Amino acid sequence: MPLAFHRKVRIIVTAFFNFLHDNPYILLFLVVGLSVWVGRGTIKGYGLGAVAGAIVIGCAIATWASYYGVHFELDNFTKSLFYYLFMYGVGLRVGPSFINSLKGDGLKFTFLAILSSFLGLGIVVLGVKLLSLPVGAAGGILAGSQTMSAAIGSAEQAITSGVVPLPPGTTAAAATAMIALSYGITYIWGTVGIILICKYLPRWWGVDARKAAKAYEVEHGVPNVDDAGLSGYRPFDLRAYRLVNSEWVGQTIAQFRQQFELYQIENVERGDQLLGADPALVLQLGDIIALGGSLDALTDHMGLIGPEVPDARALNIPLDEAVILVTHRDAIGKQLKQFSQSSIAGQVQLVGIERGGAPIPVGLETRLQRLDVMHLIGLRTAIDKATALLGKAGRPSTATDLLTLSLGMVLGLLIGLIQVPAFGAAVGLGNAGGLLVSGIIVSSLVSRVRFFGNTPNAARNILEDMGLIFFVAIVGVNAGANLVSQISPIIALKIFVLGFVACTIPPFIVWAVGFHVFKINPAILMGGVAGARSHSGPAREAAKEIDSSVPWIGFPVAYAVSGILLTVFGYFAMVLAR
């Protein structure tokens, strides 16, 4: 009976794997779905994540199927397509911060990101040579230890392009499988290790990062940003008043604004008529005036016009919401508090600022940088004024400009075809590198020409998240059948030890340089170290540890630079370690 039962199970499982073999797209989406589900699981706040889960699940299913004589292999065109979409999405995201990294304080974080990336690359290449690890290990260890999953793609391209010679008896599939294996072994500590290191580095250095963060907040007015009139803490308000104060009877709206710049008359109701808010409109006794301003401003001069009235018609004024890309020359470098006397003071609510795709703490002394993204809500006239003061505006939209996407992809692929002679061979960026550069170019042109080529954050995230996880899932599935023949305890131990060293050493050196040489605020430096490793998790945990969002200030620039370097370093790790 037990033998018959096992035979039946084997028949069912074999039939299931044969079904997946004959329906590769079902196999692909099954792996991705399981990867996302497994990636959501955590143990004390730490988990694999969907990308690492894709490698594990893909390899596990393919290895399991090989025991039943079923060999999975998904086509390379699909794999490359998803990877190229991911690389273009990365370029769109990091473009603004990459541009800002070339000037001002961004240079400090740029140096730290370069230092961390080169240290990681150097340790991996040297370790692979000393430990005589198989072909493919260098790319996988770099990707896993530095938690840069995209490096898997550039490492694999070094194999498929023929740049890395394969030893006799080693196939391209086996080398690719070794990339996946090395990535899976080193990724766990690569993720957990950098989170713990960033979180506790200040303590190990004898520094109170929480105190440093609070000092920064007080010095730069982070808790009191609403004093600038661009507030995420105290929203503006709109109220209606009946004009009974004779002082304003016969005065124009423009004359009223000259004395009270913090207020904005948005509408005037006279009898059954709505007269709007023309600056030349003369106010009359009994008018219902819709007055906008910050909440504190509206309560500072009670009775200025007359009693407040709940007039729905006068208050029926549409509010506007806009995303403004900072491009105006006069706004770049300005602190938020410098807008307190501008025409938009008290008229708009600053919901938040993003820099390089990451939110940053907002304070009175926050300086605007080129290509910062400001999220504003307010009166339509004030939004229009804010646009004139700050840069280019775009209203929230779910539409994606597919024409710009297509042209950007074509441009990237053309850039990838360019090759120059070097070291006795022709060297170029390749398709992936070209698309990364194209994304940066497009994100810059968006601000320089006009607010065109709309790619909402959700659409960009789809390019990145879906592109990467599908690519990694295919790598895992294709590698699974070859893993059994390559795994040995000694190789796995060597890979883990090298990954541990490559993950652990660079953050300490980056911290020492940033703290002792550049004198960066410890709270900000925590985010800088996380950004230098191109991983948002440590910055998030650092912010929780010190109960402040200050670490995010040091994150965007370093994140953009290291993201680009570590992605392409997968290729160089393979080349240099051969």
Side-chain angles (χ1 to χ4, degrees):
M1 183 69 177
L3 183 59
F5 174 76
H6 287 302
R7 284 178 178 173
K8 288 182 180 180
V9 170
R10 184 177 184 86
I11 291 172
I12 293 172
V13 173
T14 302
F16 174 69
F17 285 135
N18 280 322
F19 172 79
L20 293 180
H21 179 274
D22 296 335
N23 297 273
Y25 294 110
I26 294 179
L27 168 63
L28 177 58
F29 281 94
L30 175 64
V31 170
V32 169
L34 289 174
S35 302
V36 174
W37 179 60
V38 170
R40 289 176 178 174
T42 60
I43 300 176
K44 294 186 177 180
Y46 302 108
L48 273 178
V51 176
I55 280 283
V56 174
I57 297 298
C59 288
I61 289 179
T63 302
W64 187 16
S66 68
Y67 280 113
Y68 292 88
V70 181
H71 180 76
F72 291 148
E73 185 171 1
L74 298 174
D75 67 273
N76 288 323
F77 176 83
T78 303
K79 179 176 66 176
S80 298
L81 175 62
F82 280 116
Y83 184 60
Y84 294 157
L85 289 172
F86 164 73
M87 292 298 289
Y88 182 70
V90 170
L92 290 177
R93 172 172 49 81
V94 305
S97 286
F98 185 75
I99 300 294
N100 290 331
S101 70
L102 305 177
K103 57 187 177 181
D105 289 339
L107 291 174
K108 295 180 181 178
F109 295 104
T110 298
F111 178 83
L112 295 181
I114 293 173
L115 176 62
S116 177
S117 300
F118 272 95
L119 283 171
L121 175 64
I123 292 172
V124 169
V125 170
L126 182 62
V128 167
K129 288 185 174 182
L130 290 177
L131 298 175
S132 300
L133 291 174
V135 176
I141 294 172
L142 180 80
S145 66
Q146 308 302 303
T147 56
M148 178 45 65
S149 304
I152 296 175
S154 60
E156 190 180 67
Q157 285 193 338
I159 295 175
T160 57
S161 64
V163 174
V164 176
L166 300 176
T170 302
T171 64
T176 300
M178 181 54 66
I179 294 175
L181 172 65
S182 303
Y183 171 82
I185 293 174
T186 57
Y187 182 85
I188 302 298
W189 176 250
T191 300
V192 177
I194 189 60
I195 290 176
L196 294 176
I197 291 169
C198 283
K199 190 174 182 179
Y200 298 117
L201 259 173
R203 293 190 191 181
W204 297 334
W205 237 258
V207 175
D208 190 340
R210 183 184 294 264
K211 183 178 180 181
K214 297 306 177 186
Y216 180 90
E217 291 174 349
V218 172
E219 179 182 354
H220 293 82
V222 172
N224 302 305
V225 64
D226 50 307
D227 293 343
L230 295 172
S231 172
Y233 300 101
R234 298 181 188 176
F236 67 91
D237 204 355
L238 185 67
R239 297 183 176 185
Y241 301 91
R242 184 182 303 279
L243 179 56
V244 298
N245 188 346
S246 59
E247 178 184 354
W248 304 112
V249 176
Q251 299 287 320
T252 65
I253 291 178
Q255 290 172 323
F256 178 87
R257 271 286 285 171
Q258 286 177 358
Q259 295 191 46
F260 294 93
E261 293 183 347
L262 293 180
Y263 298 130
Q264 178 72 42
I265 294 180
E266 285 297 314
N267 202 2
V268 175
E269 180 183 358
R270 185 173 298 164
D272 295 331
Q273 293 183 318
L274 293 176
L275 304 179
D278 189 312
L281 180 66
V282 177
L283 301 176
Q284 295 184 9
L285 191 69
D287 284 349
I288 304 297
I289 297 175
L291 194 67
S294 65
L295 185 61
D296 53 347
L298 288 172
T299 55
D300 279 346
H301 299 89
M302 300 297 293
L304 174 67
I305 296 174
E308 184 174 1
V309 292
D311 193 295
R313 291 188 67 204
L315 293 174
N316 188 22
I317 298 170
L319 298 181
D320 199 5
E321 180 180 0
V323 177
I324 296 182
L325 201 65
V326 178
T327 59
H328 200 290
R329 184 176 302 175
D330 294 336
I332 297 171
K334 267 191 174 183
Q335 296 175 322
L336 286 182
K337 65 182 180 182
Q338 292 178 264
F339 291 95
S340 61
Q341 300 303 317
S342 70
S343 60
I344 59 173
Q347 309 304 312
V348 296
Q349 176 187 355
L350 177 61
V351 179
I353 297 179
E354 291 183 10
R355 186 168 293 165
I360 64 169
V362 180
L364 286 173
E365 297 187 15
T366 298
R367 290 187 181 274
L368 297 179
Q369 293 186 9
R370 180 174 177 79
L371 303 183
D372 278 352
V373 177
M374 303 181 70
H375 296 263
L376 298 177
I377 299 176
L379 304 170
R380 186 177 296 276
T381 55
I383 291 292
D384 292 338
K385 291 177 182 177
T387 301
L389 284 173
L390 299 169
K392 309 292 182 181
R395 266 62 182 180
S397 172
T398 57
T400 301
D401 190 338
L402 293 179
L403 175 60
T404 303
L405 171 64
S406 299
L407 293 177
M409 295 290 289
V410 170
L411 174 63
L413 295 171
L414 289 174
I415 293 174
L417 294 176
I418 299 173
Q419 292 188 329
V420 296
F423 307 106
V427 178
L429 291 174
N431 290 336
L435 288 166
L436 183 66
V437 172
S438 174
I440 294 173
I441 292 174
V442 169
S443 64
S444 299
L445 288 177
V446 162
S447 65
R448 290 181 179 275
V449 181
R450 58 187 175 89
F451 208 96
F452 79 105
N454 183 49
T455 306
N457 286 341
R460 191 198 64 211
N461 289 339
I462 283 290
L463 288 179
E464 289 190 65
D465 297 343
M466 185 179 72
L468 183 58
I469 191 172
F470 273 77
F471 163 75
V472 172
I474 295 173
V475 170
V477 169
N478 290 350
N482 296 287
L483 285 180
V484 178
S485 61
Q486 298 192 61
I487 293 177
S488 72
I490 188 63
I491 290 178
L493 179 60
K494 288 180 179 179
I495 290 173
F496 176 81
V497 171
L498 180 54
F500 180 91
V501 174
C503 167
T504 306
I505 291 179
F508 282 91
I509 297 177
V510 168
W511 173 272
V513 172
F515 185 72
H516 295 291
V517 178
F518 292 145
K519 309 297 182 182
I520 299 174
N521 181 296
I524 297 176
L525 186 55
M526 293 172 79
V529 173
R533 271 288 306 278
S534 199
H535 193 349
S536 60
R540 183 172 57 252
E541 291 300 316
K544 291 180 182 178
E545 174 69 11
I546 65 175
D547 192 27
S548 171
S549 60
V550 169
W552 288 105
I553 295 174
F555 180 78
V557 167
Y559 177 63
V561 175
S562 63
I564 293 174
L565 288 178
L566 289 173
T567 296
V568 300
F569 276 5
Y571 179 93
F572 289 105
M574 297 291 292
V575 173
L576 296 174
R578 61 182 176 180

